[in-house]
Amino acid sequence: MDIIAKILIGIIAFLHFYFLWLEMFAWTTKGRKVFKNFPPDLFEPTKSMAANQGLYNGFLASGLVWTFLISNIQWSTNIAIFFLSCVAIAGIYGAISVSKKIFYIQALPAIIAILLLVVKRFL
């Protein structure tokens, strides 16, 4: 179960680094292809807002990567649960306010990883 949780945390971190790249550096190019329902004329005016969102995604990804560098298992697990909770809350909010698809891409994997980490504590 520990390996599955770590793999899931790695995937979630990778996704958030991807979101960072997309929102900070490719918003007006690749972003147009990814966010097809977003009005095309709004990409340029929202470029700095998207970059700000990307920066936050980078913080979440960095926090998850940090958990791999912490040698104390309890401390590492606590930090992982904190950052995964942030990801889950952001995903739930995004699902409510933007698209239900965000729940499945962002929140659900984080919730599963949290459950794996919590169950691991009791085994």
Side-chain angles (χ1 to χ4, degrees):
M1 199 170 322
D2 189 44
I3 293 172
I4 295 170
K6 286 185 178 190
I7 290 170
L8 200 49
I9 289 169
I11 291 169
I12 294 166
F14 175 80
L15 277 173
H16 281 78
F17 278 128
Y18 170 73
F19 299 153
L20 172 146
W21 170 79
L22 183 64
E23 294 169 344
M24 290 189 81
F25 305 108
W27 182 246
T28 58
T29 55
K30 180 77 172 163
R32 293 177 188 270
K33 296 172 187 164
V34 174
F35 299 101
K36 294 175 185 168
N37 292 335
F38 195 72
D41 59 316
L42 291 181
F43 279 95
E44 196 60 45
T46 60
K47 190 175 180 178
S48 62
M49 181 193 69
N52 191 351
Q53 288 177 198
L55 187 61
Y56 284 101
N57 279 306
F59 291 146
L60 293 173
S62 297
L64 292 171
V65 169
W66 177 34
T67 65
F68 295 126
L69 305 175
I70 301 170
S71 58
N72 181 295
I73 300 297
Q74 186 174 6
W75 178 245
S76 174
T77 301
N78 290 340
I79 297 298
I81 290 171
F82 171 77
F83 280 100
L84 289 167
S85 296
C86 292
V87 169
I89 291 166
I92 291 167
Y93 181 79
I96 292 168
S97 62
V98 179
S99 168
K100 291 183 185 355
K101 183 178 167 184
I102 294 173
F103 177 81
Y104 300 105
I105 293 171
Q106 187 172 351
L108 187 60
I111 292 168
I112 292 169
I114 290 167
L115 291 173
L116 289 171
L117 292 172
V118 169
V119 168
K120 179 184 87 165
R121 280 190 170 175
F122 296 106
L123 294 180

CSV table of all heavy atoms in Angstrom, one decimal, residues 86-117:
chain,number,residue,atom,x,y,z
A,86,CYS,N,-5.0,19.9,0.4
A,86,CYS,CA,-5.1,21.1,-0.4
A,86,CYS,C,-5.5,20.8,-1.9
A,86,CYS,O,-6.3,21.5,-2.4
A,86,CYS,CB,-3.7,21.8,-0.4
A,86,CYS,SG,-3.2,22.5,1.2
A,87,VAL,N,-4.9,19.8,-2.5
A,87,VAL,CA,-5.2,19.4,-3.8
A,87,VAL,C,-6.7,19.0,-3.9
A,87,VAL,O,-7.4,19.4,-4.8
A,87,VAL,CB,-4.3,18.3,-4.3
A,87,VAL,CG1,-4.8,17.7,-5.6
A,87,VAL,CG2,-2.9,18.8,-4.5
A,88,ALA,N,-7.1,18.1,-2.9
A,88,ALA,CA,-8.5,17.7,-2.9
A,88,ALA,C,-9.5,18.8,-2.8
A,88,ALA,O,-10.5,18.9,-3.5
A,88,ALA,CB,-8.7,16.6,-1.8
A,89,ILE,N,-9.2,19.7,-1.9
A,89,ILE,CA,-10.1,20.9,-1.7
A,89,ILE,C,-10.2,21.7,-2.9
A,89,ILE,O,-11.3,22.1,-3.4
A,89,ILE,CB,-9.7,21.7,-0.4
A,89,ILE,CG1,-10.0,20.9,0.8
A,89,ILE,CG2,-10.5,23.0,-0.4
A,89,ILE,CD1,-9.3,21.4,2.1
A,90,ALA,N,-9.1,22.0,-3.5
A,90,ALA,CA,-9.0,22.8,-4.8
A,90,ALA,C,-9.8,22.0,-5.9
A,90,ALA,O,-10.5,22.7,-6.6
A,90,ALA,CB,-7.6,23.0,-5.2
A,91,GLY,N,-9.7,20.7,-5.9
A,91,GLY,CA,-10.4,19.9,-6.9
A,91,GLY,C,-11.9,19.9,-6.7
A,91,GLY,O,-12.7,20.0,-7.7
A,92,ILE,N,-12.3,19.8,-5.5
A,92,ILE,CA,-13.7,19.9,-5.1
A,92,ILE,C,-14.3,21.2,-5.5
A,92,ILE,O,-15.4,21.3,-6.1
A,92,ILE,CB,-14.0,19.5,-3.7
A,92,ILE,CG1,-13.6,18.0,-3.4
A,92,ILE,CG2,-15.4,19.8,-3.3
A,92,ILE,CD1,-13.5,17.6,-2.0
A,93,TYR,N,-13.6,22.3,-5.1
A,93,TYR,CA,-14.0,23.6,-5.4
A,93,TYR,C,-14.1,23.8,-7.0
A,93,TYR,O,-15.1,24.4,-7.5
A,93,TYR,CB,-13.1,24.7,-4.8
A,93,TYR,CG,-13.6,26.1,-5.1
A,93,TYR,CD1,-14.6,26.7,-4.4
A,93,TYR,CD2,-13.0,26.8,-6.1
A,93,TYR,CE1,-15.1,27.9,-4.6
A,93,TYR,CE2,-13.5,28.1,-6.4
A,93,TYR,CZ,-14.5,28.7,-5.7
A,93,TYR,OH,-14.9,29.9,-5.9
A,94,GLY,N,-13.1,23.3,-7.7
A,94,GLY,CA,-13.1,23.4,-9.1
A,94,GLY,C,-14.3,22.7,-9.8
A,94,GLY,O,-14.9,23.1,-10.7
A,95,ALA,N,-14.6,21.5,-9.2
A,95,ALA,CA,-15.7,20.7,-9.7
A,95,ALA,C,-17.0,21.4,-9.5
A,95,ALA,O,-17.9,21.4,-10.3
A,95,ALA,CB,-15.7,19.3,-9.0
A,96,ILE,N,-17.2,22.1,-8.4
A,96,ILE,CA,-18.4,22.8,-8.1
A,96,ILE,C,-18.5,24.1,-8.9
A,96,ILE,O,-19.6,24.4,-9.4
A,96,ILE,CB,-18.5,23.2,-6.6
A,96,ILE,CG1,-18.6,21.9,-5.7
A,96,ILE,CG2,-19.6,24.2,-6.3
A,96,ILE,CD1,-18.4,22.1,-4.2
A,97,SER,N,-17.4,24.8,-9.1
A,97,SER,CA,-17.4,26.1,-9.7
A,97,SER,C,-17.1,26.2,-11.2
A,97,SER,O,-17.5,27.1,-11.9
A,97,SER,CB,-16.5,27.1,-9.0
A,97,SER,OG,-15.2,26.6,-9.1
A,98,VAL,N,-16.4,25.1,-11.7
A,98,VAL,CA,-16.0,25.2,-13.1
A,98,VAL,C,-16.5,24.0,-13.9
A,98,VAL,O,-17.3,24.1,-14.8
A,98,VAL,CB,-14.5,25.3,-13.2
A,98,VAL,CG1,-14.1,25.3,-14.7
A,98,VAL,CG2,-14.0,26.5,-12.5
A,99,SER,N,-16.1,22.8,-13.5
A,99,SER,CA,-16.5,21.6,-14.3
A,99,SER,C,-16.3,20.3,-13.4
A,99,SER,O,-15.3,20.2,-12.6
A,99,SER,CB,-15.5,21.4,-15.5
A,99,SER,OG,-15.7,20.1,-16.0
A,100,LYS,N,-17.3,19.4,-13.4
A,100,LYS,CA,-17.3,18.2,-12.6
A,100,LYS,C,-16.1,17.3,-13.0
A,100,LYS,O,-15.6,16.6,-12.2
A,100,LYS,CB,-18.6,17.4,-12.8
A,100,LYS,CG,-19.8,18.1,-12.2
A,100,LYS,CD,-21.0,17.3,-12.3
A,100,LYS,CE,-22.3,17.9,-11.8
A,100,LYS,NZ,-22.3,19.2,-11.2
A,101,LYS,N,-15.6,17.5,-14.2
A,101,LYS,CA,-14.4,16.7,-14.7
A,101,LYS,C,-13.2,17.0,-13.7
A,101,LYS,O,-12.4,16.1,-13.5
A,101,LYS,CB,-14.1,17.2,-16.1
A,101,LYS,CG,-13.0,16.5,-16.8
A,101,LYS,CD,-12.9,17.0,-18.2
A,101,LYS,CE,-11.6,16.6,-18.8
A,101,LYS,NZ,-11.4,17.1,-20.2
A,102,ILE,N,-13.1,18.2,-13.2
A,102,ILE,CA,-12.0,18.5,-12.3
A,102,ILE,C,-12.0,17.6,-11.1
A,102,ILE,O,-10.9,17.2,-10.6
A,102,ILE,CB,-12.0,20.0,-11.9
A,102,ILE,CG1,-11.8,20.9,-13.1
A,102,ILE,CG2,-11.0,20.3,-10.8
A,102,ILE,CD1,-12.0,22.4,-12.9
A,103,PHE,N,-13.1,17.2,-10.6
A,103,PHE,CA,-13.2,16.3,-9.5
A,103,PHE,C,-12.4,15.0,-9.8
A,103,PHE,O,-11.6,14.5,-8.9
A,103,PHE,CB,-14.6,16.0,-9.0
A,103,PHE,CG,-14.7,15.0,-7.9
A,103,PHE,CD1,-14.5,15.4,-6.6
A,103,PHE,CD2,-14.9,13.6,-8.1
A,103,PHE,CE1,-14.6,14.5,-5.5
A,103,PHE,CE2,-15.0,12.7,-7.1
A,103,PHE,CZ,-14.8,13.2,-5.8
A,104,TYR,N,-12.7,14.4,-10.9
A,104,TYR,CA,-12.0,13.2,-11.3
A,104,TYR,C,-10.6,13.3,-11.6
A,104,TYR,O,-9.8,12.3,-11.3
A,104,TYR,CB,-12.8,12.5,-12.5
A,104,TYR,CG,-14.2,12.3,-12.1
A,104,TYR,CD1,-15.3,13.1,-12.6
A,104,TYR,CD2,-14.6,11.3,-11.2
A,104,TYR,CE1,-16.6,12.9,-12.3
A,104,TYR,CE2,-15.9,11.0,-10.9
A,104,TYR,CZ,-16.9,11.9,-11.4
A,104,TYR,OH,-18.2,11.7,-11.0
A,105,ILE,N,-10.2,14.4,-12.2
A,105,ILE,CA,-8.8,14.6,-12.5
A,105,ILE,C,-7.9,15.0,-11.3
A,105,ILE,O,-6.8,14.5,-11.2
A,105,ILE,CB,-8.6,15.6,-13.6
A,105,ILE,CG1,-9.3,15.1,-14.9
A,105,ILE,CG2,-7.2,16.0,-13.9
A,105,ILE,CD1,-9.4,16.1,-16.0
A,106,GLN,N,-8.4,15.8,-10.5
A,106,GLN,CA,-7.7,16.4,-9.4
A,106,GLN,C,-8.0,15.9,-8.0
A,106,GLN,O,-7.2,15.5,-7.2
A,106,GLN,CB,-7.8,18.0,-9.4
A,106,GLN,CG,-6.9,18.7,-8.5
A,106,GLN,CD,-6.9,20.2,-8.7
A,106,GLN,OE1,-7.5,20.7,-9.7
A,106,GLN,NE2,-6.3,20.9,-7.8
A,107,ALA,N,-9.3,16.0,-7.6
A,107,ALA,CA,-9.7,15.7,-6.3
A,107,ALA,C,-9.7,14.2,-6.0
A,107,ALA,O,-9.2,13.8,-4.9
A,107,ALA,CB,-11.1,16.3,-6.0
A,108,LEU,N,-10.3,13.4,-6.8
A,108,LEU,CA,-10.4,11.9,-6.6
A,108,LEU,C,-9.0,11.3,-6.3
A,108,LEU,O,-8.9,10.5,-5.4
A,108,LEU,CB,-11.2,11.2,-7.7
A,108,LEU,CG,-11.5,9.8,-7.4
A,108,LEU,CD1,-12.3,9.7,-6.1
A,108,LEU,CD2,-12.3,9.2,-8.6
A,109,PRO,N,-8.0,11.5,-7.2
A,109,PRO,CA,-6.7,10.9,-6.9
A,109,PRO,C,-6.1,11.3,-5.6
A,109,PRO,O,-5.6,10.5,-4.9
A,109,PRO,CB,-5.8,11.3,-8.1
A,109,PRO,CG,-6.8,11.7,-9.2
A,109,PRO,CD,-8.0,12.2,-8.5
A,110,ALA,N,-6.3,12.5,-5.2
A,110,ALA,CA,-5.8,13.0,-3.9
A,110,ALA,C,-6.5,12.4,-2.8
A,110,ALA,O,-5.9,12.0,-1.8
A,110,ALA,CB,-5.9,14.6,-3.8
A,111,ILE,N,-7.8,12.2,-2.9
A,111,ILE,CA,-8.6,11.6,-1.8
A,111,ILE,C,-8.2,10.1,-1.7
A,111,ILE,O,-8.1,9.6,-0.6
A,111,ILE,CB,-10.2,11.7,-2.1
A,111,ILE,CG1,-10.6,13.2,-2.0
A,111,ILE,CG2,-11.0,10.8,-1.2
A,111,ILE,CD1,-12.0,13.5,-2.6
A,112,ILE,N,-8.0,9.4,-2.8
A,112,ILE,CA,-7.6,8.0,-2.7
A,112,ILE,C,-6.2,7.9,-2.1
A,112,ILE,O,-6.0,7.1,-1.2
A,112,ILE,CB,-7.5,7.4,-4.2
A,112,ILE,CG1,-9.0,7.3,-4.7
A,112,ILE,CG2,-6.8,6.1,-4.1
A,112,ILE,CD1,-9.0,6.9,-6.2
A,113,ALA,N,-5.3,8.8,-2.4
A,113,ALA,CA,-4.0,8.8,-1.8
A,113,ALA,C,-4.1,9.1,-0.3
A,113,ALA,O,-3.4,8.4,0.5
A,113,ALA,CB,-3.1,9.8,-2.5
A,114,ILE,N,-4.9,10.0,0.1
A,114,ILE,CA,-5.1,10.3,1.5
A,114,ILE,C,-5.6,9.1,2.2
A,114,ILE,O,-5.1,8.7,3.3
A,114,ILE,CB,-6.1,11.5,1.7
A,114,ILE,CG1,-5.5,12.8,1.3
A,114,ILE,CG2,-6.5,11.6,3.2
A,114,ILE,CD1,-6.5,13.9,1.2
A,115,LEU,N,-6.6,8.4,1.7
A,115,LEU,CA,-7.2,7.2,2.3
A,115,LEU,C,-6.1,6.1,2.4
A,115,LEU,O,-6.0,5.4,3.4
A,115,LEU,CB,-8.3,6.7,1.5
A,115,LEU,CG,-9.6,7.5,1.5
A,115,LEU,CD1,-10.7,7.0,0.5
A,115,LEU,CD2,-10.2,7.6,2.9
A,116,LEU,N,-5.3,5.9,1.4
A,116,LEU,CA,-4.2,5.0,1.5
A,116,LEU,C,-3.2,5.3,2.6
A,116,LEU,O,-2.8,4.4,3.3
A,116,LEU,CB,-3.4,4.9,0.1
A,116,LEU,CG,-4.2,4.2,-1.0
A,116,LEU,CD1,-3.4,4.4,-2.3
A,116,LEU,CD2,-4.4,2.8,-0.8
A,117,LEU,N,-2.9,6.6,2.8
A,117,LEU,CA,-2.0,7.0,3.8
A,117,LEU,C,-2.6,6.8,5.2
A,117,LEU,O,-1.9,6.4,6.1
A,117,LEU,CB,-1.5,8.4,3.6
A,117,LEU,CG,-0.6,8.7,2.4
A,117,LEU,CD1,-0.5,10.2,2.2
A,117,LEU,CD2,0.7,8.0,2.5
